[in-house]
Amino acid sequence: MFKKKHYAIIIGAGVAGLTAAHYLLKFTDIKPIVLEKENFVGGLARTMNFNGNRMDIGGHRFFTKSPEVLKLWNELLPAQGAPAFDDKILGRESVLVDGGADPEQVDEVFLNRNRVSRIFYRGKFFSYPISLNFETIKNLGFTEMLSVGASFLKAKYSQREENTLEDFMINRFGQRLYETFFRDYTTKVWGRTPQEIGAAWGAQRIKGLSLGKTVLDFVKKTFGSKEGAGETSLIERFHYPKFGPGQLWEKLADEIRAGGGEVLLNSKVVSCHVDADKVIKSVKVDNAAGLLTFPADYFISSMPLAELAEALDDGLNLRQLTIARGLPYRDFITVGLLVDKLLPPNKTRIKTLGDIVPDCWIYVQEPSVKLGRLQIFNNWSPYMVVDPQNSVWLGLEYFCNEGDDLWQMSEEDFIKFATEELASIGIIDAGSVRFGVQVKVPKAYPAYFDTYENIDELRAALDDIKNLYCIGRNGQHRYNNMDHSMLTSVAAVCALAGKFTKAAVWNINAEQTYHEEKTDA
């Protein structure tokens, strides 16, 4: 046990930073001080409120195979024990927990929601991930499906060496399906063709999914088999806070403060003093009180690696700095549109308020528009919308690079541009828009090209700094889901307490339980 109070500086109050602070308080005698440059917590997983209509920046399904993560989520928000507003009105089946919270009576509740995501292509809806089902066969046509099948078999028995994302995808889906559903959309999202992106991205995000897996999943569903959780991309239900993901992270920040930790907003870390023994002694922080120095014993960083590298005085050599500076990101713009109705009819068997399509997320693969994804917040949670029975609250997602033409467009012009794009593909009538807003998110998605191939050199140099631990999506430059980002934080707490090596922080196990009792350092 610590003989005196130790302190940890945590850079960033996003998913990873708040989780690290929570575990420090729960399992050690270290006091966390969380420094956040923005005026909100949650990072990309925040919820924004526009006249009562709430926007989930990025879209966050709460699903995990980690008992550690699920335990924390359930500690923060109680499970749903009574039907939500839309399920109640429509008489839809709900997944409820005995003794759980009633979302019609209380605000703190973890809803259990139906996952529906589809692809919009050629003016038609396809399953996401793309599957061999009756909808796909009907929309593509029998001849095209034969071509897809032949292409898949050819790829299966003639596997490529996986040097690029293109190789990775063709090995799992075949050339034909890759060219139809993956090549152009991936280029839209990342601004690079799959030939320019490393195969590591596929291993990180697509994981074990393949056309063979989707066929097996189709057969199981058709004949009633429900065994196993399946691939992450194939989950059918997920948990979701009543008022969006930010509700959970705001609750965690409040609990950190109540437990003796600090969460300081509008506090930007501008430099980290590294001594000759490769130990960080303090950080300089720019906030409303001026330029302040915060000494500490441990430093946990979720800030982008490129920014961390610049902040470390004498911590890295020129080669390592060059790698950090060259790490690419994809930036992100969301447009929120409140509209009267959607034009596509709901041809599914899923009942919805206003009989809108039931999708949470729609992947827009129409080549005529720059729009990448479309969120329908009514379907995430009816409580995200002021009047979910008579209006539809949408999030239009655009992928761009900071400083490019999209990024430089004025808010008014961008809202008009986004509205016209959505109308051009038949999703809305442009005249039905009641309200619009734009949100920009820099460095939303770490990308796997340019100097990323040399990231192990940078990682080794950062690990040489004895009391520094890098966590989270931007802190590790990995396109992590929420639960994986959280587990990097749990592993970091274990590592600084001497239970793990630093390598474990970078190589988390999603199904491992990390803590059973208070950690002695």
Side-chain angles (χ1 to χ4, degrees):
M1 192 71 63
F2 291 108
K3 294 181 180 178
K4 65 181 181 69
K5 179 72 74 173
H6 283 60
Y7 294 86
I9 293 295
I10 299 173
I11 306 173
V15 170
L18 293 176
T19 302
H22 168 81
Y23 274 87
L24 285 173
L25 287 171
K26 187 171 183 179
F27 294 107
T28 79
D29 283 340
I30 302 171
K31 176 179 177 176
I33 302 172
V34 185
L35 303 172
E36 172 55 57
K37 68 178 181 179
E38 304 289 355
N39 65 350
F40 53 81
V41 302
L44 191 63
R46 69 189 184 274
T47 302
M48 300 186 74
N49 191 331
F50 299 100
N51 303 320
N53 295 296
R54 291 175 167 85
M55 179 185 289
D56 176 352
I57 306 298
H60 293 84
R61 297 188 185 99
F62 286 73
F63 172 83
T64 184
K65 295 179 181 179
S66 166
E68 191 80 24
V69 169
L70 188 59
K71 183 171 181 287
L72 175 55
W73 286 345
N74 289 333
E75 287 173 358
L76 291 170
L77 293 176
Q80 179 180 351
F85 175 76
D86 50 357
D87 292 330
K88 193 174 183 180
I89 294 292
L90 298 165
R92 289 190 315 205
E93 182 181 353
S94 304
V95 178
L96 308 175
V97 173
D98 289 341
D102 183 349
E104 288 288 272
Q105 300 297 322
V106 299
D107 288 341
E108 290 193 354
V109 55
F110 220 13
L111 302 178
N112 191 306
R113 304 297 289 175
N114 184 36
R115 171 204 179 276
V116 181
S117 291
R118 289 182 295 174
I119 295 166
F120 190 73
Y121 176 63
R122 299 179 183 174
K124 298 176 181 178
F125 287 99
F126 293 80
S127 296
Y128 178 87
I130 193 66
S131 302
L132 179 61
N133 58 23
F134 299 122
E135 180 183 57
T136 303
I137 295 170
K138 177 184 176 183
N139 288 345
L140 285 181
F142 183 70
T143 301
E144 180 68 12
M145 284 305 302
L146 285 178
S147 178
V148 166
S151 176
F152 171 69
L153 291 175
K154 180 181 178 181
K156 195 69 177 173
Y157 292 100
S158 181
Q159 292 277 288
R160 295 179 171 214
E161 182 180 349
E162 292 185 356
N163 297 314
T164 68
L165 182 58
E166 179 176 87
D167 299 326
F168 183 95
M169 289 178 166
I170 289 175
N171 279 348
R172 285 155 182 78
F173 298 95
Q175 182 86 27
R176 191 74 174 186
L177 208 60
Y178 160 73
E179 291 176 350
T180 302
F181 287 106
F182 294 96
R183 183 184 60 193
D184 294 342
Y185 183 74
T186 301
T187 303
K188 181 189 290 188
V189 172
W190 293 103
R192 304 283 185 98
T193 69
Q195 292 176 318
E196 300 173 271
I197 302 174
W201 186 93
Q204 173 75 9
R205 295 299 295 182
I206 303 176
K207 302 177 184 177
L209 191 63
S210 68
L211 183 58
K213 290 281 181 66
T214 62
V215 171
L216 181 60
D217 184 69
F218 169 64
V219 171
K220 285 183 176 181
K221 289 176 182 176
T222 301
F223 294 100
S225 173
K226 298 294 183 181
E227 296 180 4
E231 297 300 329
T232 302
S233 298
L234 297 175
I235 62 167
E236 293 186 346
R237 299 197 71 86
F238 62 95
H239 290 96
Y240 197 71
K242 177 177 177 177
F243 293 129
Q247 182 184 13
L248 184 139
W249 303 114
E250 289 160 11
K251 174 76 179 296
L252 183 55
D254 289 342
E255 295 209 352
I256 290 166
R257 294 184 182 105
E262 296 184 44
V263 180
L264 306 179
L265 304 180
N266 299 304
S267 298
K268 181 180 180 180
V269 172
V270 294
S271 67
C272 307
H273 174 55
V274 184
D275 70 11
D277 295 323
K278 291 287 185 179
V279 174
I280 300 179
K281 306 301 289 186
S282 63
V283 297
K284 284 188 178 179
V285 179
D286 187 6
N287 67 14
L291 195 61
L292 306 178
T293 298
F294 285 75
D297 304 283
Y298 305 97
F299 296 82
I300 300 174
S301 174
S302 66
M303 71 193 299
L305 286 182
E307 295 177 14
L308 174 63
E310 297 292 346
L312 292 169
D313 56 1
D314 300 323
L316 301 175
N317 62 32
L318 181 58
R319 162 77 177 175
Q320 294 151 0
L321 275 170
T322 301
I323 295 170
R325 290 166 178 164
L327 290 174
Y329 299 86
R330 194 66 164 153
D331 306 301
F332 180 72
I333 300 174
T334 292
V335 170
L337 292 181
L338 186 68
V339 302
D340 293 328
K341 63 179 181 178
L342 301 180
L343 296 181
N346 179 15
K347 296 182 179 180
T348 74
R349 297 180 180 177
I350 302 171
K351 297 178 182 178
T352 59
L353 296 178
D355 200 28
I356 63 174
V357 292
D359 306 76
C360 304
W361 235 345
I362 297 172
Y363 293 81
V364 180
Q365 302 209 19
E366 298 287 10
S368 61
V369 296
K370 294 185 181 295
L371 175 64
R373 294 183 304 209
L374 176 67
Q375 290 195 71
I376 304 175
F377 296 114
N378 303 52
N379 296 329
W380 284 94
S381 165
Y383 306 102
M384 299 280 280
V385 189
V386 171
D387 184 7
Q389 290 180 284
N390 299 295
S391 64
V392 187
W393 178 227
L394 303 172
L396 288 71
E397 301 181 352
Y398 288 85
F399 308 96
C400 58
N401 291 326
E402 192 171 354
D404 68 12
D405 290 343
L406 287 178
W407 191 269
Q408 295 293 341
M409 200 179 296
S410 71
E411 180 173 9
E412 181 181 357
D413 287 345
F414 201 100
I415 292 170
K416 180 181 178 182
F417 165 74
T419 299
E420 290 173 350
E421 283 214 326
L422 202 57
S424 73
I425 58 174
I427 300 295
I428 65 167
D429 183 333
S432 73
V433 176
R434 303 182 189 177
F435 168 77
V437 66
Q438 178 200 55
V439 178
K440 294 181 178 180
V441 184
K443 292 183 172 62
Y445 303 108
Y448 288 43
F449 36 83
D450 294 345
T451 61
Y452 180 82
E453 64 181 0
N454 303 119
I455 197 171
D456 286 346
E457 294 180 47
L458 177 61
R459 168 186 156 180
L462 294 171
D463 281 351
D464 281 343
I465 300 174
K466 298 179 178 64
N467 60 343
L468 173 65
Y469 303 85
C470 295
I471 60 172
R473 176 180 282 194
N474 277 337
Q476 294 191 342
H477 202 85
R478 288 185 176 177
Y479 193 2
N480 289 332
N481 288 327
M482 271 193 304
D483 58 340
H484 291 113
S485 288
M486 293 173 68
L487 288 172
T488 63
S489 305
V490 180
V493 172
C494 290
L496 66 82
K499 300 292 185 180
F500 282 1
T501 65
K502 280 193 174 183
V505 184
W506 298 85
N507 300 293
I508 51 117
N509 179 351
E511 298 183 40
Q512 179 174 350
T513 297
Y514 289 84
H515 286 285
E516 294 296 341
E517 58 187 17
K518 193 174 180 71
T519 298
D520 293 331

